[in-house]
Structure formats: structure tokens, C-alpha cells
Amino acid sequence: GISNIFLLIALLMCLINYKSLFDSIKANYKLVVGIFLFSLYISFVGIYHDSPIRELDNYYRFLLLLPLISISFNDRNAVSILFICAISALVHAIYVNAFFDDSFRLHGTSNNSITFGHMCATLSMISIYYIFYKQYKPWINAASAVIFLILLFLTETRGPIIGIIFAVIYLTFVLKRDLETRLKFKTPIIILSILLVSIIVIPNPLGERLKDISNINLSEPLETESYYLRERVYYLAYGIEEIKDNYIIGVGPQNVQNRMSESLKLKKINRVKSADHLHNDFLDIILKFGIMSIILLFLIYFTLINSKNNQHNILLNILMIMLLSSQLTQSQFAHHQAITF
């Protein structure tokens, strides 16, 4: 609740400073046009499928948050905010006894542990960016990165590990290109290796969930013991199968769960429950709205990272890697806080 209050205050402040907002819109007109095209297309398909507004509202999130484009970015403020967020999140985790009570997965200030895990992983990568690339206040950023990674372990969320691996590899490549010292560009890879080994070797909830992946039955994936892995395998297979016949205009967001339920009954599969999203945003949005939706979404993403501000291009690319990676294993548009973040 309190996060929504602060978001509304931020939006109000941006709207009050309308001159700055207008200048920002003019400077980023390609992004604004992309967001409007995406929103109009979602509206068109929603009307075609007679979709209720509750099924569409999260896809209007870019449009709703557009006033935030007027906020200027400052490295010093960003690092301070990161550290405050890390300490606050740590205090919250201690308050709910997340370190000693293994009966629940930490979801922090989010309504979903997967969302909070993605947020923690992203914030840890921003901290790592400031340590190695910007070389700005390394000790403060190191503390932030460690806290966010510890909290990620407590969420028991596996998906963000993909983003961390890709982001660290990208950062290593950038450091090798831009820095002369060999040790500096090797350090992120060394740290990543230590992190991955620690997750597997040292007993922790996230490590145990990662080990479950090795138990997937590749010949009969629906016989996999882990319910979460079993349902995700089915959702992916179902999504690909449905898209083949509905790739032009989709099936409508409100129809996915009923159609999946009918498919499960037809195939006599009783070990998987139907859901209204596929835990993969790219397949999910195509199934619901057709192939044009993913094209317009990628247009927004491309415009975001195709910035003329070279000073922040590396950070933008890291953020986009984390977002795209998270969408591989989760339907972020199904969780309004994830796409807002």
C-alpha cells in the first residue's frame, strides 16, 4: 500500500512540473510514440476479444508511468537510494524472521516472492555496476550488493540467476573493452563463479530449488516430481501449441485459463492446474494479443536502450538484460508491481 502512495506522489510531482515533463516528452518522442502505439494496439485487441479492463490494466502501465520520464538521473542519489533500500529491506527481513523461519518464502514489500526476487537481483546488479564500471563508493555498493543477493536467496526464486549470469558476462565484456587492468574485468566472473558454487554447495533454500531442475524428466517432463517445474514445462508447451493457430490476434487475456483447463481435460492431465498466464511473458503476450504485441513491446525496449546518453548506456543495457531474463521465467505483466519496477 505505501509503495502505491509514494508512486502517486511521484507522478503528481512530475505532472505539476509540466514544463520539464513537456521537454522530456519532446526529447524522447520515439519512446512516447512507441508506448502510445503499444497501448492502442492492446486496446484494439481487448475490444475485439471483449476483454474486461482488469485484464488490460497492467499493459497500460507504460502509459500510466510516462510522467516519470521527466525525473533526471544522478549517480550520487542513485547510490544513496540503493543503500537505503538495502538496509530497509534487511531490517524488514529480520523483522519477519526470514533468516530463521523456513516455513515461507520472503516476498518483502511485494505481494509475490518472484517479483521481490527479481527486484533484489536487479538492484544487486546495479550495485555491482557502480563497483566495477563506475568505481564509485565501492564499499557502500558492495554492502548493498551483498544484502540484495542474500535477500534473493531468501525469496528462493530461481529465475533471476539467469539474468545475473548474463549481466555479469556482459559487464565483464564491457570492462575488458574499456579498462586496461586485466584483474578488474576478471573480477566479476570470479565473483559470479564463487556465488554459483556457494549456492550449490552451501545449504540454502535457493540452492535446494536449483537442484530440483536436474530432476526434470526430459523424456516425460510432466512426470517431474517438482510441481512448480512440472507446471512451467506444461505452460510452455501449451503456449507454443496454442500460438500456432492464434498468432495473428491471440485468444484474448481472459480466455487463457479456460482454454488451458479444457486442454488439460482433453489430454487427461490431472497433475497440472490451469493458470491465466504462462510464466513466460513473450509467449504469454503473443498468445493473448497476437504477434504484433511482442513487436511493439520490443520497439519500446529498443527505444529505451538506444539512448544518445553514452554515460548511462551500460547501465541501461544491464537493466534490460535483467528485465528480459526475468520475463523468460515469469509473466511480469501478470504482476503490476514487477512491470512498474
Side-chain angles (χ1 to χ4, degrees):
I2 195 170
S3 61
N4 289 330
I5 293 171
F6 277 103
L7 177 60
L8 290 171
I9 292 172
L11 287 168
L12 180 61
M13 292 172 68
C14 292
L15 291 171
I16 290 173
N17 191 8
Y18 65 91
K19 290 183 179 179
S20 176
L21 176 58
F22 185 68
D23 290 340
S24 299
I25 289 174
K26 286 198 299 182
N28 298 276
Y29 71 93
K30 290 182 180 179
L31 175 62
V32 175
V33 170
I35 288 173
F36 270 94
L37 287 175
F38 179 79
S39 302
L40 284 172
Y41 179 80
I42 293 297
S43 299
F44 167 75
V45 177
I47 292 170
Y48 176 83
H49 288 297
D50 196 24
S51 303
I53 191 67
R54 68 177 182 276
E55 297 286 353
L56 306 176
D57 58 355
N58 286 350
Y59 297 92
Y60 295 135
R61 194 63 47 170
F62 296 131
L63 191 62
L64 173 68
L65 301 179
L66 199 53
L68 299 181
I69 198 174
S70 67
I71 298 177
S72 59
F73 185 82
N74 179 285
D75 286 324
R76 184 180 65 182
N77 291 342
V79 168
S80 298
I81 291 170
L82 279 171
F83 186 67
I84 292 170
C85 286
I87 296 300
S88 302
L90 179 61
V91 170
H92 181 269
I94 294 171
Y95 176 75
V96 298
N97 199 29
F99 287 93
F100 301 103
D101 187 352
D102 59 0
S103 64
F104 68 98
R105 294 169 59 184
L106 177 67
H107 58 77
T109 50
S110 172
N111 61 348
N112 189 289
S113 58
I114 295 175
T115 298
F116 193 65
H118 161 60
M119 293 163 68
C120 289
T122 302
L123 294 176
S124 71
M125 287 311 307
I126 298 174
S127 301
I128 290 171
Y129 159 82
Y130 277 114
I131 295 169
F132 294 107
Y133 189 78
K134 285 289 188 176
Q135 299 179 22
Y136 181 67
K137 295 188 176 181
W139 292 110
I140 291 178
N141 284 300
S144 298
V146 169
I147 291 172
F148 286 129
L149 288 172
I150 290 172
L151 296 176
L152 170 62
F153 291 171
L154 295 178
T155 67
E156 303 179 29
T157 306
R158 292 169 287 209
I161 299 297
I162 299 172
I164 289 175
I165 291 172
F166 283 124
V168 168
I169 292 172
Y170 168 73
L171 184 59
T172 303
F173 170 79
V174 170
L175 291 173
K176 184 178 181 181
R177 182 193 66 189
D178 296 350
L179 298 179
E180 296 180 359
T181 307
R182 293 178 61 85
L183 181 60
K184 285 183 179 178
F185 79 79
K186 286 183 177 180
T187 305
I189 288 292
I190 294 171
I191 292 175
L192 175 63
S193 301
I194 294 172
L195 174 66
L196 294 177
V197 170
S198 300
I199 292 174
I200 300 300
V201 175
I202 300 174
N204 66 88
L206 177 58
E208 295 304 314
R209 286 173 61 81
L210 282 172
K211 291 174 184 176
D212 286 341
I213 297 176
S214 63
N215 297 323
I216 294 179
N217 188 336
L218 295 177
S219 58
E220 296 183 18
L222 292 182
E223 297 302 317
T224 301
E225 287 302 316
S226 171
Y227 171 76
Y228 294 103
L229 293 174
R230 187 167 66 244
E231 71 175 10
R232 278 161 174 73
V233 168
Y234 175 78
Y235 293 162
L236 292 176
Y238 169 80
I240 293 170
E241 181 182 332
E242 282 284 281
I243 287 170
K244 290 177 182 178
D245 299 322
N246 300 282
Y247 62 89
I248 296 178
I249 203 73
V251 301
Q254 78 277 19
N255 297 321
V256 171
Q257 187 162 12
N258 288 336
R259 292 174 69 98
M260 188 186 295
S261 180
E262 291 174 3
S263 176
L264 287 167
K265 290 178 181 177
L266 185 65
K267 295 177 180 179
K268 297 180 180 179
I269 298 173
N270 54 20
R271 301 189 72 195
V272 174
K273 291 182 180 179
S274 61
D276 60 358
H277 57 277
L278 303 180
H279 287 281
N280 179 301
D281 248 336
F282 310 124
L283 291 177
D284 195 59
I285 197 170
I286 296 173
L287 177 60
K288 291 176 178 177
F289 299 101
I291 192 71
M292 184 56 68
S293 62
I294 196 73
I295 294 173
L296 293 172
L297 179 63
F298 281 144
L299 176 64
I300 294 174
Y301 289 171
F302 176 76
T303 310
L304 279 169
I305 63 174
N306 191 31
S307 169
K308 294 179 181 178
N309 188 342
N310 294 325
Q311 182 184 0
H312 296 136
N313 272 350
I314 307 303
L315 177 58
L316 284 170
N317 290 338
I318 289 173
L319 289 169
M320 191 55 64
I321 288 170
M322 295 304 295
L323 174 60
L324 291 172
S325 300
S326 74
Q327 291 184 291
L328 284 172
T329 57
Q330 181 61 35
S331 300
Q332 299 291 24
F333 280 104
H335 308 286
H336 71 89
Q337 189 184 32
I339 208 66
T340 297
F341 175 75

